[in-house]
Amino acid sequence: MGATTVRAEDIYREELAKIGADDGRVVCVEALPGGAHHPFESAHPDRFFQLGGVESAMVSMVEGLVTAGFRVFVCGLGLGADTRVSRLPRLTVAYLRAGASVMVPHTQTDLAQLRSMPRVQIAVPSGAREIRAVLRGAARSGRPCHIRIGTETSDAVAAPWPGAADGDIPSVIWDVAAKPGDAADTDTCLVSIGEEGTRLALAVRERSGDLAHAHLVYVDDSHLAAAAGELARRHGRLVVLGGSAGPDGAAEGLRRLLPGCTVLGLSHPEPGGSFAADVERALSMAKGPGE
């Protein structure tokens, strides 16, 4: 879309350092051993802990810090070249159970396990602005948050919405770029989740501007239930783009919550396919048979 992209984990670390300046309870635990300059370490060395691969010590430290009243954020999990992917879900769940928020790039944690922890918020931000807003919301609430980000990000790939700076993210973000009356004139609504899902939804809307577009950042059970009610009040047919596939994904969750609505899902690109092909598939799902 012509916008400069940045590394998503850099946005995460820089914003966390800014939040730490405003809130002395915020602590950063870095899971990646060694590495380049860390903005949180430079700004708040007394609240920065780099423990590398000493996993048992990290989890115990997180538990102690949370018990002492600190807001703990774990960074770098899964970024190291020597990290074994098979242990990431176990580590992620351990940190969340201890009460920390965890940034997890490029990986999928078992959603069933996440949903079994009712205090845990599940965030899939799209764009640098949403990453910042999710971090500020987690720091303010004190609730552990599972934050899944991509490799690179840009605010050009995000649903247009105002007022993100304070971290107050609504359950449903309505695309303010939609033409007046669009949402009322069509029964079908694109529901985007994450970087790829949002990029796909915006491309589909460029092809078919009469489609409504709603965007979800949080997909845990409580947020999804609130979103379901708001979506159903406006639309009877939902096409969910992005998010996780399977019985614990957002599309299946909305399908269970809204038995009176038609809920379709396109969670990941077709194997071996192209973005253009995904746009066509999504457009076909949105238009329905014979349209």
Side-chain angles (χ1 to χ4, degrees):
M1 295 190 178
T4 301
T5 59
V6 294
R7 282 161 42 97
E9 60 262 30
D10 288 346
I11 294 295
Y12 184 103
R13 291 183 170 100
E14 290 166 5
E15 186 64 21
L16 192 60
K18 293 178 183 178
I19 296 170
D22 300 328
D23 190 340
R25 298 171 298 176
V26 173
V27 169
C28 176
V29 175
E30 175 63 46
L32 185 63
H37 165 76
H38 198 301
F40 198 99
E41 180 182 21
S42 178
H44 319 291
D46 58 326
R47 288 181 277 137
F48 177 84
F49 303 92
Q50 190 165 53
L51 299 182
V54 189
E55 298 163 6
S56 59
M58 289 177 70
V59 175
S60 296
M61 175 174 279
V62 165
E63 290 175 342
L65 288 168
V66 171
T67 300
F70 289 99
R71 306 285 168 85
V72 183
F73 291 80
V74 178
C75 302
L77 191 62
L79 291 174
D82 60 344
T83 302
R84 286 173 291 179
V85 174
S86 61
R87 74 189 186 198
L88 291 180
R90 173 176 57 80
L91 284 173
T92 300
V93 170
Y95 293 129
L96 291 168
R97 288 193 187 282
S101 291
V102 182
M103 181 265 282
V104 184
H106 335 309
T107 62
Q108 292 284 352
T109 306
D110 184 353
L111 283 174
Q113 282 189 298
L114 294 182
R115 295 190 188 285
S116 72
M117 298 181 282
R119 288 196 70 244
V120 173
Q121 300 181 100
I122 306 173
V124 192
S126 171
R129 180 171 51 175
E130 286 184 8
I131 293 174
R132 296 186 185 101
V134 165
L135 278 171
R136 290 196 172 273
R140 184 175 57 194
S141 73
R143 290 179 58 185
C145 189
H146 179 277
I147 307 169
R148 182 162 62 84
I149 62 174
T151 304
E152 294 185 331
T153 190
S154 165
D155 277 334
V157 185
W161 62 287
D166 60 358
D168 187 14
I169 303 175
S171 297
V172 179
I173 299 166
W174 295 99
D175 189 342
V176 296
K179 298 174 184 177
D182 278 353
D185 292 342
T186 178
D187 194 43
T188 300
C189 181
L190 304 173
V191 181
S192 64
I193 300 171
E195 295 271 358
E196 289 304 311
T198 305
R199 179 169 170 250
L200 185 57
L202 295 176
V204 171
R205 285 206 75 253
E206 285 183 1
R207 292 277 306 277
S208 183
D210 60 333
L211 292 171
H213 175 205
H215 179 63
L216 308 185
V217 176
Y218 292 102
V219 293
D220 50 84
D221 286 347
S222 59
H223 282 94
L224 207 59
E230 187 170 346
L231 290 166
R233 283 193 290 273
R234 301 196 189 190
H235 305 283
R237 180 184 176 87
L238 307 177
V239 179
V240 182
L241 305 176
S244 299
D248 296 300
E252 186 59 36
L254 288 172
R255 195 173 290 121
R256 288 193 298 267
L257 289 164
L258 300 172
C261 294
T262 299
V263 180
L264 307 174
L266 180 59
S267 297
H268 50 79
E270 188 78 15
S274 65
F275 181 74
D278 291 333
V279 171
E280 293 298 331
R281 290 173 63 210
L283 188 60
S284 177
M285 294 169 70
K287 292 299 186 180
E291 294 187 43

